[in-house]
């Protein structure tokens, strides 16, 4: 092995060590550098550096610092060990070195310079710096997250898979009362979850860890939580599981919702209170309805009864005023109740099929008198494509139209009021697209009603009009155009408010168009379901007997001419229209000359210049025109008209507004008898004999009892009174009845319970005793409740006699074949027992009475006819009253009733129906007279009448 010299070893070290080694003199000139330094300085030979300084290779800051350091070593003799320093190069690079500098001594130990060794630590420095930066930013981010979590308004709690709390923010401290340091590391369920829920919580966590399913995770939940003080409170919580390395942690945000819960509770209470207030309101309405209607019932009913007694004209006048005023009051009360009912959301619409044309015709008939008294034309046009029968609420539709037409008449002094119904749209749902939304209120889609139609109604008048700025407001409650106390027109201002709400309920719209001084047109639309009922009118395509017949329509009113022409054309007749008598005669003559005379002439009775009657006379007198069938169309209640028609022997007499079905029937009837042009107006069949019913009346109110008893007795029924439901049930056990009239509200047992008891007894027996509710309740659901309880019908108080009779007749149809049982009637015309009672068995008196009656009757009848002919309602009522008294003496119930009906109608001024009633009375009188003669004869043969004699 070769031994190397010391200097060789040093050289080897100098040339190969990667660290920089250098020797400098006292002024820091390099005296020797190793290869590594030369390499860093970019020198090919280390010798090139000799005599140079750091200033030749580094930029100034580093060179100077190195110089100062070396001078320090020289001065102090102390080494500089492992100093980490930055080296700045002229090209801008910065490198790092760990430098050790030592004093360079001669052999004597004197310092002659320095020497040093530097290791490049740039790489280490860079790594360190990157690490430091990363650490800083991680710390900053953590700090930010902490700040966010700590300043969060929600409590934040994190838990590991073992259920140990690992994080807890500031809000959690506030929410649960535990400081962070006390909460962290504790079991979450022990700290936060009330004992009853702990097991479920643990089970939930375990399920998740096992299956990854957590039905309560990642959702907002409301759960009870535990406070440090032991109290429980509701929190809203969202828990999310987070995968953290191999572990799961669960982080949860919680929010104390005590306040929200309290607010919700308050809202609930407020809603309950509002609901019970509305309940109270509707109960109040029901009670008020009851309380107001009950006395009204007595007032109206007693007034009617009183009007039936002998009165002097002054008394009658006073009472009629009472009657009119109470009727008016009742209608105001009904309006207010109706309005409140709608406002309280208590209005329920009916849903039943009805004939639109008939329903409208009936409604207009009730207003015709008012219109014609003011000299207004009242007409109705229903477009041919409007279905015959629709499904909806006929009563509410009638209520809307009554109000609009009533207003139109009220606010119109001259001209016409025209109702028009047009087909607006059809929501066909029969096939394919079944749009149940298109069905009207509450309707269920079935095969029969699968079509829905929208009808457009208009009510047009030529009245005072409504200023444009008031047109919107009149639909508000209590709003009137003229709100002053001195206003000319009466009213409550509720009619349109009610109508508009009803229209809304029928899913329609209501609006008005009006020109001041010219008139108003009210529009509304409404939804109905179509109902395919068999047609009562001739279908347009029916060839029929009317096809091709020529008709002349004579009317001065253009609307009427238009409507009549359209209707007749629908029936395939050939109408021509003219507007006055002269034109009519001309048309008739030229038709005759052309060899095509008119088959039928429809005349308006009231025309300016030459009226319908005069024209009819001229036609009759005209030698060429005698073959024509003439029908008169006139306004209601012109009894003179009726009499004149009879005189002129016209084929028919119809009152306007004309119902299509009536016109159709009248034309068929008239043409059927056209060969006898002198035939008198059709006379109704004689009145049928009403059955005498055994009626049980259950009613607790004494006045109502008395009233109902009188009303029923007047009809010849026999009545048993029960003061409550229990008595009624007992009465039925003892006795047989034909009918029960049942008050609903009664002490002890109410009408619904009593009905249920009666029905329960009947079960299985095959019997069914008709029961009618009579109640002042007119609230939503009352009718249904009565029907559900097993009642057959419903009459609301105040009981209107006619309504009662109609209801009874509907339920127990008058029987014209059955012999009246258990009554001693002669041919069903009079009551022998009653006569005997009256005369106290005195046959002579009876014969005298009969004689007086038979002599007097023609005169009394004549008086009545005269009164009718003069249209004098007052005289007519008096004459009927006298006749009623006369026939009443003989127990002639049917005749008495006919007279009474006539008297009643005349008393109301209802002259048109009075004509019918007069015919009925005439028929009864004609039946009575021979019976009386027969009776007189029998008293001669049988001086003492037998008490139990049967007719
Ligand atoms: P009422 O008629 O009982 O006062 P409504 O609500 O029926 O109440 O009508 C409100 C108001 O609208 C009436 O008072 C009247 O001023 C006005 N009005 C209604 N219909 C007509 C009409 N056809 N012509 C003129 N004004 C009308």
């Amino acid at each position: 092995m070769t031994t190397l010299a010391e200097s060789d070893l040093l050289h080897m070290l100098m040339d190969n060590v990667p660290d920089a080694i250098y020797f400098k003199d006292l002024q820091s000139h390099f005296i020797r550098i190793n290869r590594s330094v030369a390499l860093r300085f970019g020198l090919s030979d280390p010798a090139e550096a000799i005599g140079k300084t750091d200033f030749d290779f580094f930029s100034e800051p580093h060179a100077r610092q190195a110089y100062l350091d070396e001078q320090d070593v020289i001065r102090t003799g102390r080494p500089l060990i492992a100093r980490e320093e930055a080296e700045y190069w002229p090209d801008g690079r910065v490198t790092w070195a760990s430098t050790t500098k030592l004093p360079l001594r001669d052999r004597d130990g004197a310092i002659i310079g320095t020497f040093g060794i530097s290791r490049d630590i740039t790489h280490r420095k860079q790594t360190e710096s990157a690490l430091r930066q990363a650490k800083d930013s991680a710390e900053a981010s953590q700090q930010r997250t902490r700040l966010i979590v700590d300043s969060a308004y929600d409590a934040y709690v994190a838990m590991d898979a073992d259920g140990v709390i690992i994080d807890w923010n500031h809000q959690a401290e506030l929410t649960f009362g535990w400081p962070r340091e006390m909460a962290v590391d504790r079991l979450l369920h022990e700290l936060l979850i009330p004992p009853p829920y702990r097991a479920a919580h643990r089970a939930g966590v375990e399920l998740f860890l096992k299956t990854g399913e957590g039905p309560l995770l990642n959702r907002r939940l409301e759960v009870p939580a535990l406070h440090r003080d032991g109290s429980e409170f509701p929190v809203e919580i969202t828990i999310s599981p987070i995968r953290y390395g191999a572990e799961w942690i669960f982080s949860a945000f919680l929010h104390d919702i005590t306040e929200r819960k309290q607010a919700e509770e308050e809202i609930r209470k407020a809603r309950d209170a509002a609901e019970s207030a509305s309940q109270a309101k509707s109960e109040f309405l029901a009670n008020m309805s009851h309380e107001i209607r009950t006395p009204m019932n007595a007032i109206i009913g007693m007034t009617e009864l009183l009007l039936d007694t002998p009165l002097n004209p002054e008394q009658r006048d006073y009472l009629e005023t009472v009657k009119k005023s109470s009727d008016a009051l009742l209608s105001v009360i009904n309006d207010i109740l109706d309005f409140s009912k709608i406002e309280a959301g208590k209005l329920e619409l009916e849903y039943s099929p009805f004939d639109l044309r008939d329903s409208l015709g009936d409604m207009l008939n009730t207003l015709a008198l008012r219109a014609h008294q003011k000299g207004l034309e009242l007409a109705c046009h229903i477009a041919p494509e409007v279905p015959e029968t629709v499904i909806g609420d006929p009563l509410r539709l009638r209520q809307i139209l009554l109000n609009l037409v009533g207003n139109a008449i009220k606010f119109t002094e001259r001209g016409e009021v025209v109702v028009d119904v047009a087909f607006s749209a059809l929501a066909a749902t029969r096939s394919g697209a079944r749009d149940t939304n298109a069905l009207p209120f509450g309707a269920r889609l079935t095969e029969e009603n699968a079509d829905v139609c929208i009808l457009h109604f208009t009510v047009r008048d030529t009245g005072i009009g409504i200023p444009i700025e008031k047109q919107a407001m009149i639909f508000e409650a209590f709003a009137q155009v003229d709100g002053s106390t001195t206003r000319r027109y009466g009213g409550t201002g509720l009619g349109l408010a009610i109508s508009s709400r009803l229209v809304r309920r029928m899913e329609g719209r209501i609006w008005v168009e009006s020109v001041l001084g010219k008139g108003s047109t009210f529009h509304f639309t409404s939804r109905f379901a179509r109902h395919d009922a068999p047609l009562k009118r001739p279908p347009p395509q029916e060839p029929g007997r009317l096809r091709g017949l020529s008709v002349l329509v004579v009317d001065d009113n253009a609307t009427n001419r238009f409507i009549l022409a359209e209707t007749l054309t629908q029936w395939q007749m050939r109408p021509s229209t003219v507007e006055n008598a002269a034109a009519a005669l001309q048309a008739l003559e030229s038709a005759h000359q052309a060899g095509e005379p008119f088959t039928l002439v429809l005349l308006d009775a009231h025309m300016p210049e030459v009226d319908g009657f005069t024209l009819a006379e001229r036609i009759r007198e005209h030698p060429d025109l005698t073959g024509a069938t003439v029908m008169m169309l006139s306004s209601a209640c012109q009894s003179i008209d009726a009499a004149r028609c009879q005189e002129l022997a016209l084929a028919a007499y119809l009152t306007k507004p004309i119902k299509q079905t009536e016109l159709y029937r009248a034309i068929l009837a008239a043409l059927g008898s056209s060969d006898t042009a002198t035939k008198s107006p059709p006379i109704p069949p004689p009145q049928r004999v009403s059955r005498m019913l055994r009626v049980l009346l259950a009613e607790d109110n004494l006045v109502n009892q008395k009233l109902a008893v009188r009303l029923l007795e007047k009809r010849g029924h026999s009545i048993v009174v029960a003061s409550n439901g229990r008595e009624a049930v007992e009465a039925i056990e003892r006795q047989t009845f034909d009918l029960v009239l049942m008050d609903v509200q009664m002490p002890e047992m109410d009408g619904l319970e009593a009905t249920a008891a009666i029905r329960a007894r009947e079960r299985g027996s095959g019997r069914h005793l008709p029961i009618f509710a009579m109640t002042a309740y007119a609230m939503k659901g009352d009718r249904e409740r009565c029907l559900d309880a097993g009642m057959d019908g419903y009459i609301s108080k105040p009981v209107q006699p006619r309504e009662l009779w109609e209801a009874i007749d509907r339920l127990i149809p008058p029987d014209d074949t059955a012999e009246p049982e258990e009554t001693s009637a002669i041919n069903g015309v009079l009551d022998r027992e009653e006569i005997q009672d009256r005369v106290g068995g005195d046959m002579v008196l009876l014969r005298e009475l009969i004689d007086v009656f038979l002599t007097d009757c023609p005169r009394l009848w004549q008086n009545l006819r005269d009164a009718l002919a003069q249209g004098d309602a007052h005289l007519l009522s008096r004459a009927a009253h006298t006749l009623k008294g006369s026939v009443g003496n003989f127990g002639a119930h049917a005749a008495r009733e006919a007279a009474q009906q006539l008297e009643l109608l005349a008393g109301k001024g209802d002259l048109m129906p009075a004509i019918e009633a007069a015919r009925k009375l005439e028929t009864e009188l004609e039946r009575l007279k021979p019976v009386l003669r027969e009776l007189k004869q029998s008293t001669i043969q049988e001086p003492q009448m037998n008490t139990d004699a049967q007719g």
Side-chain angles (χ1 to χ4, degrees), residues 144-159:
R144 256 197 322 273
T145 311
R146 186 79 250 150
L147 274 174
I148 291 170
V149 166
D150 271 347
S151 63
Y153 184 55
D154 283 353
Y156 172 73
V157 178
M159 168 191 98

Side-chain angles (χ1 to χ4, degrees), residues 573-590:
M573 300 179 85
R574 290 187 295 125
S576 309
T577 58
V578 290
E579 58 177 313
N580 56 40
L585 284 171
Q586 211 170 9
L588 285 166
E589 276 165 17
S590 39

Side-chain angles (χ1 to χ4, degrees), residues 519-541:
S520 314
T521 304
F522 281 84
H523 299 256
F524 71 94
T525 58
S526 177
R527 249 167 211 273
F528 296 93
R530 273 158 75 105
H531 186 267
D532 298 327
L535 287 179
K536 274 197 266 142
R537 292 173 303 141
Q541 67 276 21

Side-chain angles (χ1 to χ4, degrees), residues 335 403-412 459-461 463-467 470 473-483 487 489-499 512 514 519-522:
D335 263 6
N403 176 47
L404 297 184
V405 179
N407 277 347
I409 296 171
K410 179 157 81 171
F411 296 105
T412 303
V459 177
R460 178 170 60 78
D461 67 51
I464 60 173
I466 302 163
K470 305 263 180 167
M473 133 242 185
I474 53 172
F475 295 102
E476 302 293 319
F478 305 108
Q480 293 172 322
V481 170
D482 180 1
R487 64 175 197 265
Y489 304 98
T492 52
L494 276 176
L496 287 176
I498 293 174
S499 296
V512 64
S514 182
S520 314
T521 304
F522 281 84

